[in-house]
mmCIF file of all heavy atoms in Angstrom:
data_model
loop_
_atom_site.group_PDB
_atom_site.id
_atom_site.type_symbol
_atom_site.label_atom_id
_atom_site.label_comp_id
_atom_site.label_asym_id
_atom_site.label_seq_id
_atom_site.Cartn_x
_atom_site.Cartn_y
_atom_site.Cartn_z
ATOM 1 N N PHE A 453 2.099 -1.754 -4.715
ATOM 2 C CA PHE A 453 0.694 -1.865 -4.370
ATOM 3 C C PHE A 453 -0.001 -2.772 -5.377
ATOM 4 O O PHE A 453 0.422 -2.875 -6.536
ATOM 5 C CB PHE A 453 0.020 -0.487 -4.348
ATOM 6 C CG PHE A 453 0.418 0.351 -3.174
ATOM 7 C CD1 PHE A 453 1.509 1.206 -3.249
ATOM 8 C CD2 PHE A 453 -0.290 0.283 -1.983
ATOM 9 C CE1 PHE A 453 1.891 1.978 -2.161
ATOM 10 C CE2 PHE A 453 0.085 1.057 -0.889
ATOM 11 C CZ PHE A 453 1.172 1.891 -0.980
ATOM 12 N N TYR A 454 -1.074 -3.414 -4.911
ATOM 13 C CA TYR A 454 -1.816 -4.362 -5.741
ATOM 14 C C TYR A 454 -3.302 -4.013 -5.696
ATOM 15 O O TYR A 454 -3.860 -3.767 -4.631
ATOM 16 C CB TYR A 454 -1.635 -5.793 -5.223
ATOM 17 C CG TYR A 454 -0.211 -6.288 -5.301
ATOM 18 C CD1 TYR A 454 0.736 -5.929 -4.342
ATOM 19 C CD2 TYR A 454 0.199 -7.114 -6.341
ATOM 20 C CE1 TYR A 454 2.040 -6.367 -4.417
ATOM 21 C CE2 TYR A 454 1.501 -7.566 -6.428
ATOM 22 C CZ TYR A 454 2.427 -7.193 -5.465
ATOM 23 O OH TYR A 454 3.724 -7.633 -5.545
ATOM 24 N N ILE A 455 -3.940 -3.983 -6.844
ATOM 25 C CA ILE A 455 -5.383 -3.790 -6.947
ATOM 26 C C ILE A 455 -5.971 -5.058 -7.543
ATOM 27 O O ILE A 455 -5.616 -5.449 -8.659
ATOM 28 C CB ILE A 455 -5.742 -2.577 -7.827
ATOM 29 C CG1 ILE A 455 -5.033 -1.309 -7.330
ATOM 30 C CG2 ILE A 455 -7.252 -2.373 -7.856
ATOM 31 C CD1 ILE A 455 -5.427 -0.875 -5.942
ATOM 32 N N ASN A 456 -6.835 -5.720 -6.779
ATOM 33 C CA ASN A 456 -7.409 -6.995 -7.204
ATOM 34 C C ASN A 456 -6.328 -7.981 -7.650
ATOM 35 O O ASN A 456 -6.471 -8.703 -8.637
ATOM 36 C CB ASN A 456 -8.440 -6.780 -8.319
ATOM 37 C CG ASN A 456 -9.668 -6.046 -7.819
ATOM 38 O OD1 ASN A 456 -10.098 -6.238 -6.685
ATOM 39 N ND2 ASN A 456 -10.235 -5.193 -8.652
ATOM 40 N N GLY A 457 -5.222 -7.986 -6.892
ATOM 41 C CA GLY A 457 -4.137 -8.922 -7.137
ATOM 42 C C GLY A 457 -3.184 -8.526 -8.237
ATOM 43 O O GLY A 457 -2.204 -9.232 -8.489
ATOM 44 N N ILE A 458 -3.413 -7.411 -8.910
ATOM 45 C CA ILE A 458 -2.565 -6.983 -10.024
ATOM 46 C C ILE A 458 -1.538 -5.972 -9.529
ATOM 47 O O ILE A 458 -1.887 -4.938 -8.950
ATOM 48 C CB ILE A 458 -3.402 -6.366 -11.158
ATOM 49 C CG1 ILE A 458 -4.409 -7.397 -11.687
ATOM 50 C CG2 ILE A 458 -2.512 -5.869 -12.285
ATOM 51 C CD1 ILE A 458 -5.371 -6.844 -12.712
ATOM 52 N N ASP A 459 -0.270 -6.284 -9.741
ATOM 53 C CA ASP A 459 0.832 -5.427 -9.310
ATOM 54 C C ASP A 459 0.787 -4.115 -10.084
ATOM 55 O O ASP A 459 0.816 -4.103 -11.319
ATOM 56 C CB ASP A 459 2.159 -6.163 -9.563
ATOM 57 C CG ASP A 459 3.349 -5.471 -8.917
ATOM 58 O OD1 ASP A 459 3.221 -4.288 -8.536
ATOM 59 O OD2 ASP A 459 4.410 -6.113 -8.805
ATOM 60 N N GLN A 460 0.740 -3.002 -9.355
ATOM 61 C CA GLN A 460 0.690 -1.679 -9.974
ATOM 62 C C GLN A 460 2.082 -1.071 -10.173
ATOM 63 O O GLN A 460 2.195 0.064 -10.631
ATOM 64 C CB GLN A 460 -0.170 -0.740 -9.126
ATOM 65 C CG GLN A 460 -1.591 -1.234 -8.905
ATOM 66 C CD GLN A 460 -2.372 -1.397 -10.192
ATOM 67 O OE1 GLN A 460 -2.434 -0.485 -11.006
ATOM 68 N NE2 GLN A 460 -2.959 -2.586 -10.384
ATOM 69 N N GLY A 461 3.117 -1.831 -9.808
ATOM 70 C CA GLY A 461 4.482 -1.357 -10.014
ATOM 71 C C GLY A 461 5.084 -0.727 -8.766
ATOM 72 O O GLY A 461 4.467 -0.690 -7.703
ATOM 73 N N VAL A 462 6.292 -0.231 -8.902
ATOM 74 C CA VAL A 462 7.033 0.338 -7.780
ATOM 75 C C VAL A 462 6.432 1.682 -7.376
ATOM 76 O O VAL A 462 6.319 2.590 -8.195
ATOM 77 C CB VAL A 462 8.525 0.515 -8.129
ATOM 78 C CG1 VAL A 462 9.274 1.172 -6.976
ATOM 79 C CG2 VAL A 462 9.154 -0.824 -8.483
ATOM 80 N N ALA A 463 6.046 1.775 -6.096
ATOM 81 C CA ALA A 463 5.532 3.043 -5.569
ATOM 82 C C ALA A 463 6.624 3.833 -4.872
ATOM 83 O O ALA A 463 6.596 5.058 -4.843
ATOM 84 C CB ALA A 463 4.388 2.779 -4.601
ATOM 85 N N ALA A 464 7.570 3.128 -4.269
ATOM 86 C CA ALA A 464 8.718 3.754 -3.597
ATOM 87 C C ALA A 464 9.884 2.784 -3.701
ATOM 88 O O ALA A 464 9.714 1.577 -3.516
ATOM 89 C CB ALA A 464 8.393 4.053 -2.139
ATOM 90 N N ASN A 465 11.057 3.316 -3.997
ATOM 91 C CA ASN A 465 12.216 2.449 -4.207
ATOM 92 C C ASN A 465 12.808 1.927 -2.906
ATOM 93 O O ASN A 465 13.280 0.798 -2.862
ATOM 94 C CB ASN A 465 13.303 3.202 -4.995
ATOM 95 C CG ASN A 465 12.908 3.421 -6.437
ATOM 96 O OD1 ASN A 465 12.406 2.513 -7.092
ATOM 97 N ND2 ASN A 465 13.111 4.634 -6.933
ATOM 98 N N GLN A 466 12.787 2.725 -1.854
ATOM 99 C CA GLN A 466 13.362 2.307 -0.579
ATOM 100 C C GLN A 466 12.365 2.530 0.549
ATOM 101 O O GLN A 466 11.945 3.653 0.801
ATOM 102 C CB GLN A 466 14.663 3.081 -0.301
ATOM 103 C CG GLN A 466 15.829 2.652 -1.182
ATOM 104 C CD GLN A 466 16.218 1.198 -0.958
ATOM 105 O OE1 GLN A 466 16.202 0.707 0.167
ATOM 106 N NE2 GLN A 466 16.554 0.502 -2.037
ATOM 107 N N THR A 467 11.998 1.441 1.207
ATOM 108 C CA THR A 467 11.084 1.484 2.346
ATOM 109 C C THR A 467 11.821 0.949 3.562
ATOM 110 O O THR A 467 12.583 -0.019 3.429
ATOM 111 C CB THR A 467 9.843 0.613 2.063
ATOM 112 O OG1 THR A 467 9.286 1.013 0.807
ATOM 113 C CG2 THR A 467 8.793 0.778 3.144
ATOM 114 N N PRO A 468 11.663 1.548 4.739
ATOM 115 C CA PRO A 468 12.352 1.040 5.933
ATOM 116 C C PRO A 468 12.109 -0.454 6.143
ATOM 117 O O PRO A 468 11.077 -0.995 5.729
ATOM 118 C CB PRO A 468 11.734 1.866 7.063
ATOM 119 C CG PRO A 468 11.305 3.130 6.407
ATOM 120 C CD PRO A 468 10.856 2.748 5.029
ATOM 121 N N GLY A 469 13.061 -1.107 6.779
ATOM 122 C CA GLY A 469 12.986 -2.549 6.974
ATOM 123 C C GLY A 469 11.873 -3.001 7.884
ATOM 124 O O GLY A 469 11.343 -4.094 7.729
ATOM 125 N N VAL A 470 11.507 -2.172 8.865
ATOM 126 C CA VAL A 470 10.435 -2.539 9.799
ATOM 127 C C VAL A 470 9.250 -1.602 9.578
ATOM 128 O O VAL A 470 9.303 -0.421 9.933
ATOM 129 C CB VAL A 470 10.916 -2.456 11.266
ATOM 130 C CG1 VAL A 470 9.779 -2.797 12.218
ATOM 131 C CG2 VAL A 470 12.097 -3.389 11.490
ATOM 132 N N VAL A 471 8.208 -2.116 8.961
ATOM 133 C CA VAL A 471 7.011 -1.319 8.699
ATOM 134 C C VAL A 471 5.761 -2.139 9.025
ATOM 135 O O VAL A 471 5.763 -3.373 8.930
ATOM 136 C CB VAL A 471 6.938 -0.850 7.224
ATOM 137 C CG1 VAL A 471 7.992 0.202 6.943
ATOM 138 C CG2 VAL A 471 7.039 -2.017 6.260
ATOM 139 N N TYR A 472 4.715 -1.436 9.431
ATOM 140 C CA TYR A 472 3.417 -2.032 9.715
ATOM 141 C C TYR A 472 2.451 -1.642 8.597
ATOM 142 O O TYR A 472 2.523 -0.536 8.060
ATOM 143 C CB TYR A 472 2.864 -1.530 11.048
ATOM 144 C CG TYR A 472 3.693 -1.908 12.244
ATOM 145 C CD1 TYR A 472 4.824 -1.166 12.598
ATOM 146 C CD2 TYR A 472 3.357 -3.002 13.046
ATOM 147 C CE1 TYR A 472 5.592 -1.513 13.702
ATOM 148 C CE2 TYR A 472 4.110 -3.354 14.150
ATOM 149 C CZ TYR A 472 5.234 -2.603 14.471
ATOM 150 O OH TYR A 472 5.996 -2.940 15.561
ATOM 151 N N GLY A 473 1.539 -2.539 8.277
ATOM 152 C CA GLY A 473 0.512 -2.221 7.298
ATOM 153 C C GLY A 473 -0.528 -1.306 7.898
ATOM 154 O O GLY A 473 -0.887 -1.435 9.068
ATOM 155 N N VAL A 474 -1.028 -0.364 7.113
ATOM 156 C CA VAL A 474 -2.020 0.612 7.584
ATOM 157 C C VAL A 474 -3.186 0.654 6.609
ATOM 158 O O VAL A 474 -2.992 0.674 5.395
ATOM 159 C CB VAL A 474 -1.416 2.035 7.674
ATOM 160 C CG1 VAL A 474 -2.468 3.014 8.171
ATOM 161 C CG2 VAL A 474 -0.210 2.067 8.561
ATOM 162 N N VAL A 475 -4.388 0.660 7.150
ATOM 163 C CA VAL A 475 -5.586 0.928 6.360
ATOM 164 C C VAL A 475 -6.313 2.085 7.014
ATOM 165 O O VAL A 475 -6.556 2.069 8.219
ATOM 166 C CB VAL A 475 -6.510 -0.305 6.283
ATOM 167 C CG1 VAL A 475 -7.785 0.041 5.528
ATOM 168 C CG2 VAL A 475 -5.796 -1.466 5.599
ATOM 169 N N ASP A 476 -6.614 3.092 6.233
ATOM 170 C CA ASP A 476 -7.331 4.263 6.735
ATOM 171 C C ASP A 476 -8.746 4.216 6.183
ATOM 172 O O ASP A 476 -8.988 4.497 5.003
ATOM 173 C CB ASP A 476 -6.605 5.534 6.286
ATOM 174 C CG ASP A 476 -7.027 6.757 7.084
ATOM 175 O OD1 ASP A 476 -8.100 6.702 7.716
ATOM 176 O OD2 ASP A 476 -6.282 7.755 7.064
ATOM 177 N N LEU A 477 -9.693 3.806 7.040
ATOM 178 C CA LEU A 477 -11.098 3.740 6.647
ATOM 179 C C LEU A 477 -11.737 5.109 6.827
ATOM 180 O O LEU A 477 -11.918 5.561 7.949
ATOM 181 C CB LEU A 477 -11.839 2.715 7.512
ATOM 182 C CG LEU A 477 -11.496 1.241 7.292
ATOM 183 C CD1 LEU A 477 -12.154 0.397 8.367
ATOM 184 C CD2 LEU A 477 -11.944 0.797 5.918
ATOM 185 N N TYR A 478 -12.045 5.768 5.753
ATOM 186 C CA TYR A 478 -12.722 7.048 5.886
ATOM 187 C C TYR A 478 -13.661 7.228 4.699
ATOM 188 O O TYR A 478 -13.632 6.457 3.727
ATOM 189 C CB TYR A 478 -11.715 8.205 5.981
ATOM 190 C CG TYR A 478 -11.143 8.655 4.660
ATOM 191 C CD1 TYR A 478 -11.678 9.755 3.984
ATOM 192 C CD2 TYR A 478 -10.075 7.988 4.073
ATOM 193 C CE1 TYR A 478 -11.155 10.174 2.775
ATOM 194 C CE2 TYR A 478 -9.552 8.404 2.856
ATOM 195 C CZ TYR A 478 -10.089 9.490 2.214
ATOM 196 O OH TYR A 478 -9.588 9.891 1.008
ATOM 197 N N GLY A 479 -14.488 8.237 4.789
ATOM 198 C CA GLY A 479 -15.397 8.514 3.692
ATOM 199 C C GLY A 479 -16.335 7.345 3.419
ATOM 200 O O GLY A 479 -17.043 6.870 4.298
ATOM 201 N N MET A 480 -16.301 6.861 2.195
ATOM 202 C CA MET A 480 -17.218 5.806 1.771
ATOM 203 C C MET A 480 -16.879 4.438 2.342
ATOM 204 O O MET A 480 -17.749 3.574 2.467
ATOM 205 C CB MET A 480 -17.231 5.727 0.248
ATOM 206 C CG MET A 480 -17.755 6.981 -0.441
ATOM 207 S SD MET A 480 -17.784 6.821 -2.242
ATOM 208 C CE MET A 480 -16.021 6.834 -2.628
ATOM 209 N N ALA A 481 -15.603 4.200 2.669
ATOM 210 C CA ALA A 481 -15.163 2.871 3.105
ATOM 211 C C ALA A 481 -15.599 2.610 4.545
ATOM 212 O O ALA A 481 -15.284 3.382 5.439
ATOM 213 C CB ALA A 481 -13.653 2.740 2.981
#
């Protein structure tokens, strides 16, 4: 994951090969 372009490091070591990006707009966003 990246915050303002800065890599925050590995969040998960293995992610499936076919994935879609998701944004969950809730609360303040």
Side-chain angles (χ1 to χ4, degrees):
F453 287 90
Y454 296 80
I455 306 297
N456 292 325
I458 300 174
D459 191 344
Q460 303 299 309
V462 177
N465 289 315
Q466 288 297 322
T467 307
V470 178
V471 290
Y472 297 82
V474 180
V475 176
D476 197 341
L477 290 171
Y478 80 97
M480 297 181 290

